[in-house]
Amino acid sequence: MGACRSILQGACMLVLTAACAFAVDTADWMRGVRDDAPLRRIAIPGAHDAGTAGMPWYSRTQDADTATLLADGVRYLDLRVALEDGKLRIFHGPSTGVELDGILQAVAAFLDAHPAECVLLDFQHFQGGAEQPALAALTAALGQRIFAAPNPQDKVGCINSLPLSAVRGRVVVFWGSAQDPQLADPRLFLRGNDAGTRTNACLHSFYNESAHMGESKALIGTTLPQYLARFASLDSGICVLQGQLTDGWGVRGPRSRENTHAAAMDAFVSSLANSPHLPAVNVILRDFATAEKNAKTIGLNRAKGFFK
């Protein structure tokens, strides 16, 4: 058998390569990962702008709802929350969509059914003063499932030393509002900005807009390796590789952009198994996340030696 091929069977993905054959249960894949695997080293599928299913074509970057994304293997959700008419809603660009509470309830139900898994919630952007109500909604929906830093004065050190065993059945929450006094809460971990210049960040997610507005070949050939090299030099925090193209002009839409990009991005993710960049691979962010795409990221943990 030559190139990698995949057969989708519900929430289970059978991945076949020339060198091996192994099954990935996308709903329970972390159950097969070693307890001592550092969270910031595990290869984790992520959903860019989660919660946008049902939005207009120019704002929609996912087709699946939260429950489906999680069942299909996603363990990192990029969430952008606006307070609109007294309700917390997911927003992307000019559009608002589902309520945050529905997403949080789906995460809670998933963790109840799959207690060996861990979900990363990245609240990247807020609008309309949504910060305080969003934290209240998180507390109400997830309660004790929210991981708290044992030493709130050293959250970076906490993330750097965090094994999967400490967060099974829980969520780890990253917060993008750097001036929010609520960051004193031990449950909130500061996320970095696009340029990577924010001090004490526990999550890094570099984003060069002009590069993502370009073509797939340049993003994959130049920009993504540069991001991975920066992650390696930092050697700290959760590292999110933004693998999506951007429709900056609102003309083609995310789906059209992904159609020109998905196959090459799939090949790039698979190639990381034999790349010197492999140790720096952590979260890989995708548009229109599917079990097939997610299985390619999950499979990198085999090359990392993290499967039991």
Side-chain angles (χ1 to χ4, degrees):
M1 224 169 2
C4 177
R5 65 187 181 90
S6 305
I7 303 169
L8 181 61
Q9 299 175 328
C12 183
M13 177 70 61
L14 179 65
V15 180
L16 304 175
T17 69
C20 63
F22 61 98
V24 177
D25 180 353
T26 55
D28 277 300
W29 67 266
M30 281 183 161
R31 183 174 57 181
V33 176
R34 297 192 338 244
D35 278 346
D36 64 344
L39 186 65
R40 70 186 189 94
R41 300 293 189 191
I42 299 170
I44 298 172
H48 175 238
D49 278 300
T52 58
M55 284 187 182
W57 63 271
Y58 48 82
S59 298
R60 184 171 63 252
T61 65
Q62 304 294 335
D63 287 331
D65 61 17
T66 302
T68 302
L69 288 172
L70 294 170
D72 284 348
V74 166
R75 295 293 178 270
Y76 164 99
L77 300 174
D78 163 21
L79 300 171
R80 306 167 190 218
V81 184
L83 184 61
E84 181 182 79
D85 298 326
K87 294 185 177 181
L88 292 167
R89 296 187 180 277
I90 299 300
F91 77 92
H92 184 210
S95 303
T96 54
V98 298
E99 292 187 34
L100 174 64
D101 189 61
I103 289 177
L104 300 180
Q105 294 295 338
V107 171
F110 176 79
L111 291 175
D112 284 347
H114 306 277
E117 307 302 294
C118 167
V119 178
L120 311 184
L121 301 180
D122 182 6
F123 287 83
Q124 187 170 149
H125 298 295
F126 296 95
Q127 281 187 354
E131 289 91 337
Q132 187 171 352
L135 181 56
L138 268 167
T139 302
L142 294 166
Q144 295 302 311
R145 299 181 188 86
I146 305 173
F147 174 77
N151 177 8
Q153 305 306 313
D154 186 19
K155 292 181 180 179
V156 173
C158 173
I159 291 296
N160 286 348
S161 62
L162 195 61
L164 179 59
S165 60
V167 289
R168 290 194 190 274
R170 308 179 83 175
V171 298
V172 184
V173 179
F174 298 93
W175 212 248
S177 186
Q179 305 306 316
D180 189 348
Q182 294 180 121
L183 276 165
D185 191 313
R187 301 171 299 170
L188 301 183
F189 294 84
L190 179 66
R191 84 177 316 275
N193 55 14
D194 289 348
T197 58
R198 187 173 287 166
T199 58
N200 296 319
C202 298
L203 179 147
H204 306 284
S205 183
F206 306 132
Y207 180 72
N208 177 347
E209 184 177 48
S210 63
H212 288 263
M213 287 176 62
E215 297 306 313
S216 176
K217 184 176 180 180
L219 181 72
I220 290 171
T222 302
T223 304
L224 298 188
Q226 289 174 346
Y227 290 164
L228 288 166
R230 288 187 68 186
F231 293 153
S233 66
L234 278 171
D235 194 27
S236 178
I238 298 295
C239 295
V240 179
L241 184 69
Q242 298 208 36
Q244 76 282 355
L245 290 178
T246 300
D247 179 31
W249 301 105
V251 175
R252 289 178 284 182
R255 168 61 73 184
S256 176
R257 294 288 277 158
E258 178 66 8
N259 287 345
T260 71
H261 179 56
M265 186 63 193
D266 284 349
F268 174 75
V269 172
S270 295
S271 76
L272 291 171
N274 299 304
S275 166
H277 292 301
L278 181 65
V281 173
N282 192 191
V283 177
I284 298 181
L285 201 58
R286 302 288 302 268
D287 278 350
F288 302 101
T290 64
E292 289 181 290
K293 291 177 180 178
N294 298 337
K296 295 180 187 304
T297 297
I298 295 166
L300 295 176
N301 290 300
R302 189 173 187 273
K304 284 173 171 278
F306 287 156
F307 282 129
K308 296 176 183 175

